[in-house]
Amino acid sequence: MGGTVTAVSSSGTYSFTKPNRESVTLLAGLGVEGDVHAGTTVKHRFRMEKDPSQPNLRQVHLIHEELFDEVRAAGFEVAAGQLGENVTTRGIDLLGLPTGTRLRLGAAAVVEVTGLRNPCAQIDTFSKGLLKQVVGRGEDGRARFRSGIMGVVLVGGVVRPGDGVAVELPEAPHRPLEIV
């Protein structure tokens, strides 16, 4: 099971969207070099207010490019980096991966999946009504978050558009993704 990196993005400042780059460097235990969310402890502003000593389980944000196709069909234009992700992929059901899955990005980098991204109100600030497109309801009636997944960098390396993504599932039993 695998896919492709279609875009990489980073920003050194707190901004909702992140500009696309020719490459990003993932740093083990930290995240994306030069990105505002890189670090061993939490960098998300809301989470820092609650407890700045929490481990950073959100070092890398990944989104499946297929989401952009879906929201485009609903009348929204969204491109890579515009929802704040660092790595955009195609060909992998990111939301269906279990916690602890390892993603091999490019020649060397390894990211371990920690959980779901919690979509925030900034998505509607970016494009009114888009939040409802990325938060749906499952068959059980529970909220289903579709705005990507989060992970931590286990092995660093350079990641570029066009790089392959290999998926290594953890040993069973698998734990479904939860918000981190």
Side-chain angles (χ1 to χ4, degrees):
M1 159 180 2
T4 306
V5 173
T6 60
V8 292
S9 311
S10 67
S11 177
T13 61
Y14 284 105
S15 59
F16 184 68
T17 62
K18 296 184 179 192
N20 295 152
R21 308 287 182 191
E22 289 184 20
S23 68
V24 293
T25 301
L26 302 186
L27 303 173
L30 295 174
V32 179
E33 182 177 47
D35 193 81
V36 71
H37 292 102
T40 57
T41 57
V42 67
K43 300 301 177 201
H44 185 276
R45 287 192 272 194
F46 175 74
R47 287 175 170 80
M48 286 183 354
E49 286 177 18
K50 291 173 79 176
D51 179 2
S53 68
Q54 295 176 70
N56 188 3
L57 301 178
R58 301 166 57 96
Q59 294 174 358
V60 181
H61 176 197
L62 300 98
I63 282 187
H64 52 297
E65 190 175 54
E66 291 86 350
L67 176 65
F68 303 151
D69 299 337
E70 291 174 31
V71 299
R72 189 173 298 115
F76 295 89
E77 268 311 310
V78 180
Q82 290 186 319
L83 295 182
E85 76 276 10
N86 301 112
V87 178
T88 309
T89 66
R90 184 167 280 283
I92 299 172
D93 178 12
L94 294 177
L95 302 176
L97 297 174
T99 301
T101 297
R102 291 184 177 186
L103 302 173
R104 294 191 174 277
L105 306 169
V110 179
V111 172
E112 184 173 297
V113 177
T114 55
L116 293 169
R117 175 196 183 190
N118 185 13
C120 65
Q122 288 183 6
I123 293 174
D124 259 358
T125 302
F126 171 74
S127 183
K128 185 107 177 108
L130 183 58
L131 183 60
K132 286 183 180 179
Q133 297 297 312
V134 299
V135 177
R137 295 277 172 206
E139 291 178 14
D140 60 0
R142 294 177 48 189
R144 187 168 164 253
F145 301 107
R146 302 176 336 118
S147 58
I149 62 172
M150 308 304 285
V152 296
V153 181
L154 298 180
V155 179
V158 176
V159 180
R160 295 176 178 86
D163 282 348
V165 180
V167 176
E168 296 177 6
L169 296 174
E171 289 188 29
H174 293 159
R175 290 182 303 129
L177 297 176
E178 296 180 11
I179 293 173
V180 293

PDB file of all heavy atoms in Angstrom, residues 6 10 13 33 37 48 82 110 112 114 124 129-130 134 143 150-151 166:
ATOM      1  N   THR A   6       2.295  14.924  -3.242  1.00  0.00           N
ATOM      2  CA  THR A   6       1.968  15.825  -4.353  1.00  0.00           C
ATOM      3  C   THR A   6       2.405  17.260  -4.084  1.00  0.00           C
ATOM      4  O   THR A   6       2.557  18.032  -5.028  1.00  0.00           O
ATOM      5  CB  THR A   6       0.467  15.792  -4.676  1.00  0.00           C
ATOM      6  OG1 THR A   6      -0.268  16.192  -3.525  1.00  0.00           O
ATOM      7  CG2 THR A   6       0.037  14.393  -5.125  1.00  0.00           C
ATOM      8  N   SER A  10       5.354  24.770   4.183  1.00  0.00           N
ATOM      9  CA  SER A  10       5.779  25.139   5.531  1.00  0.00           C
ATOM     10  C   SER A  10       5.695  26.644   5.689  1.00  0.00           C
ATOM     11  O   SER A  10       5.686  27.391   4.706  1.00  0.00           O
ATOM     12  CB  SER A  10       7.215  24.662   5.810  1.00  0.00           C
ATOM     13  OG  SER A  10       8.139  25.352   4.998  1.00  0.00           O
ATOM     14  N   THR A  13       5.782  31.316  10.412  1.00  0.00           N
ATOM     15  CA  THR A  13       4.916  32.155  11.238  1.00  0.00           C
ATOM     16  C   THR A  13       3.556  31.494  11.391  1.00  0.00           C
ATOM     17  O   THR A  13       3.171  30.648  10.576  1.00  0.00           O
ATOM     18  CB  THR A  13       4.720  33.549  10.609  1.00  0.00           C
ATOM     19  OG1 THR A  13       4.100  33.400   9.333  1.00  0.00           O
ATOM     20  CG2 THR A  13       6.050  34.280  10.460  1.00  0.00           C
ATOM     21  N   GLU A  33      11.526  21.399   9.435  1.00  0.00           N
ATOM     22  CA  GLU A  33      12.523  22.444   9.684  1.00  0.00           C
ATOM     23  C   GLU A  33      11.978  23.810   9.263  1.00  0.00           C
ATOM     24  O   GLU A  33      11.453  23.970   8.166  1.00  0.00           O
ATOM     25  CB  GLU A  33      13.796  22.139   8.900  1.00  0.00           C
ATOM     26  CG  GLU A  33      14.903  23.139   9.125  1.00  0.00           C
ATOM     27  CD  GLU A  33      16.173  22.761   8.386  1.00  0.00           C
ATOM     28  OE1 GLU A  33      16.088  22.409   7.186  1.00  0.00           O
ATOM     29  OE2 GLU A  33      17.242  22.798   9.017  1.00  0.00           O
ATOM     30  N   HIS A  37       5.293  25.063  13.756  1.00  0.00           N
ATOM     31  CA  HIS A  37       4.804  23.982  14.609  1.00  0.00           C
ATOM     32  C   HIS A  37       5.873  22.951  14.961  1.00  0.00           C
ATOM     33  O   HIS A  37       5.574  21.955  15.617  1.00  0.00           O
ATOM     34  CB  HIS A  37       3.591  23.300  13.963  1.00  0.00           C
ATOM     35  CG  HIS A  37       2.404  24.198  13.922  1.00  0.00           C
ATOM     36  ND1 HIS A  37       2.020  24.853  12.781  1.00  0.00           N
ATOM     37  CD2 HIS A  37       1.531  24.572  14.881  1.00  0.00           C
ATOM     38  CE1 HIS A  37       0.957  25.598  13.059  1.00  0.00           C
ATOM     39  NE2 HIS A  37       0.641  25.446  14.318  1.00  0.00           N
ATOM     40  N   MET A  48      -0.955  25.309  23.721  1.00  0.00           N
ATOM     41  CA  MET A  48       0.112  25.914  24.529  1.00  0.00           C
ATOM     42  C   MET A  48      -0.479  26.671  25.715  1.00  0.00           C
ATOM     43  O   MET A  48       0.103  26.665  26.802  1.00  0.00           O
ATOM     44  CB  MET A  48       0.977  26.852  23.676  1.00  0.00           C
ATOM     45  CG  MET A  48       1.905  26.107  22.753  1.00  0.00           C
ATOM     46  SD  MET A  48       3.050  27.085  21.731  1.00  0.00           S
ATOM     47  CE  MET A  48       2.652  28.760  21.957  1.00  0.00           C
ATOM     48  N   GLN A  82      -3.175  25.255   1.579  1.00  0.00           N
ATOM     49  CA  GLN A  82      -4.155  26.257   2.001  1.00  0.00           C
ATOM     50  C   GLN A  82      -4.899  25.893   3.281  1.00  0.00           C
ATOM     51  O   GLN A  82      -5.484  26.765   3.911  1.00  0.00           O
ATOM     52  CB  GLN A  82      -5.142  26.554   0.875  1.00  0.00           C
ATOM     53  CG  GLN A  82      -4.495  27.297  -0.272  1.00  0.00           C
ATOM     54  CD  GLN A  82      -5.483  27.714  -1.330  1.00  0.00           C
ATOM     55  OE1 GLN A  82      -6.391  26.967  -1.690  1.00  0.00           O
ATOM     56  NE2 GLN A  82      -5.313  28.926  -1.840  1.00  0.00           N
ATOM     57  N   VAL A 110      10.668   9.145   8.021  1.00  0.00           N
ATOM     58  CA  VAL A 110       9.614   8.288   8.566  1.00  0.00           C
ATOM     59  C   VAL A 110       8.791   9.108   9.550  1.00  0.00           C
ATOM     60  O   VAL A 110       9.329   9.699  10.489  1.00  0.00           O
ATOM     61  CB  VAL A 110      10.189   7.041   9.282  1.00  0.00           C
ATOM     62  CG1 VAL A 110       9.057   6.187   9.849  1.00  0.00           C
ATOM     63  CG2 VAL A 110      11.063   6.222   8.345  1.00  0.00           C
ATOM     64  N   GLU A 112       5.425   8.873  12.128  1.00  0.00           N
ATOM     65  CA  GLU A 112       4.474   7.990  12.794  1.00  0.00           C
ATOM     66  C   GLU A 112       3.176   8.751  13.026  1.00  0.00           C
ATOM     67  O   GLU A 112       3.170   9.841  13.604  1.00  0.00           O
ATOM     68  CB  GLU A 112       5.014   7.491  14.128  1.00  0.00           C
ATOM     69  CG  GLU A 112       4.073   6.502  14.793  1.00  0.00           C
ATOM     70  CD  GLU A 112       4.671   5.867  16.026  1.00  0.00           C
ATOM     71  OE1 GLU A 112       5.686   5.168  15.886  1.00  0.00           O
ATOM     72  OE2 GLU A 112       4.103   6.091  17.112  1.00  0.00           O
ATOM     73  N   THR A 114      -0.067   9.974  14.643  1.00  0.00           N
ATOM     74  CA  THR A 114      -0.514  10.102  16.035  1.00  0.00           C
ATOM     75  C   THR A 114      -2.019  10.292  16.164  1.00  0.00           C
ATOM     76  O   THR A 114      -2.587   9.968  17.198  1.00  0.00           O
ATOM     77  CB  THR A 114       0.198  11.282  16.726  1.00  0.00           C
ATOM     78  OG1 THR A 114      -0.022  12.474  15.953  1.00  0.00           O
ATOM     79  CG2 THR A 114       1.687  11.020  16.860  1.00  0.00           C
ATOM     80  N   ASP A 124     -13.504  28.026   8.141  1.00  0.00           N
ATOM     81  CA  ASP A 124     -14.604  28.847   7.622  1.00  0.00           C
ATOM     82  C   ASP A 124     -14.155  30.278   7.352  1.00  0.00           C
ATOM     83  O   ASP A 124     -14.716  30.944   6.476  1.00  0.00           O
ATOM     84  CB  ASP A 124     -15.793  28.844   8.590  1.00  0.00           C
ATOM     85  CG  ASP A 124     -16.891  27.900   8.146  1.00  0.00           C
ATOM     86  OD1 ASP A 124     -16.760  27.272   7.073  1.00  0.00           O
ATOM     87  OD2 ASP A 124     -17.894  27.785   8.872  1.00  0.00           O
ATOM     88  N   GLY A 129     -18.301  28.163   4.879  1.00  0.00           N
ATOM     89  CA  GLY A 129     -19.022  26.934   4.595  1.00  0.00           C
ATOM     90  C   GLY A 129     -18.128  25.715   4.411  1.00  0.00           C
ATOM     91  O   GLY A 129     -18.611  24.584   4.386  1.00  0.00           O
ATOM     92  N   LEU A 130     -16.816  25.942   4.302  1.00  0.00           N
ATOM     93  CA  LEU A 130     -15.897  24.820   4.066  1.00  0.00           C
ATOM     94  C   LEU A 130     -15.798  23.891   5.276  1.00  0.00           C
ATOM     95  O   LEU A 130     -15.635  22.680   5.106  1.00  0.00           O
ATOM     96  CB  LEU A 130     -14.508  25.348   3.692  1.00  0.00           C
ATOM     97  CG  LEU A 130     -13.453  24.314   3.338  1.00  0.00           C
ATOM     98  CD1 LEU A 130     -13.894  23.440   2.176  1.00  0.00           C
ATOM     99  CD2 LEU A 130     -12.124  25.016   3.019  1.00  0.00           C
ATOM    100  N   VAL A 134     -15.563  19.497   5.679  1.00  0.00           N
ATOM    101  CA  VAL A 134     -14.485  18.661   6.232  1.00  0.00           C
ATOM    102  C   VAL A 134     -14.856  18.024   7.573  1.00  0.00           C
ATOM    103  O   VAL A 134     -14.077  17.257   8.122  1.00  0.00           O
ATOM    104  CB  VAL A 134     -13.146  19.433   6.336  1.00  0.00           C
ATOM    105  CG1 VAL A 134     -12.692  19.879   4.962  1.00  0.00           C
ATOM    106  CG2 VAL A 134     -13.230  20.592   7.299  1.00  0.00           C
ATOM    107  N   ALA A 143     -19.425  12.635  14.767  1.00  0.00           N
ATOM    108  CA  ALA A 143     -18.646  13.527  13.907  1.00  0.00           C
ATOM    109  C   ALA A 143     -17.504  12.763  13.256  1.00  0.00           C
ATOM    110  O   ALA A 143     -16.874  11.911  13.884  1.00  0.00           O
ATOM    111  CB  ALA A 143     -18.111  14.699  14.709  1.00  0.00           C
ATOM    112  N   MET A 150      -2.215  13.879  11.788  1.00  0.00           N
ATOM    113  CA  MET A 150      -1.014  14.453  12.386  1.00  0.00           C
ATOM    114  C   MET A 150      -0.018  13.333  12.670  1.00  0.00           C
ATOM    115  O   MET A 150      -0.400  12.175  12.830  1.00  0.00           O
ATOM    116  CB  MET A 150      -1.364  15.180  13.689  1.00  0.00           C
ATOM    117  CG  MET A 150      -2.487  16.195  13.569  1.00  0.00           C
ATOM    118  SD  MET A 150      -2.235  17.471  12.323  1.00  0.00           S
ATOM    119  CE  MET A 150      -1.029  18.492  13.124  1.00  0.00           C
ATOM    120  N   GLY A 151       1.254  13.704  12.754  1.00  0.00           N
ATOM    121  CA  GLY A 151       2.267  12.716  13.058  1.00  0.00           C
ATOM    122  C   GLY A 151       3.511  13.335  13.653  1.00  0.00           C
ATOM    123  O   GLY A 151       3.652  14.563  13.708  1.00  0.00           O
ATOM    124  N   ALA A 166       5.342   5.092   1.457  1.00  0.00           N
ATOM    125  CA  ALA A 166       5.100   3.691   1.788  1.00  0.00           C
ATOM    126  C   ALA A 166       4.434   3.633   3.157  1.00  0.00           C
ATOM    127  O   ALA A 166       4.798   4.371   4.072  1.00  0.00           O
ATOM    128  CB  ALA A 166       6.412   2.908   1.805  1.00  0.00           C
TER     129      ALA A 166
END
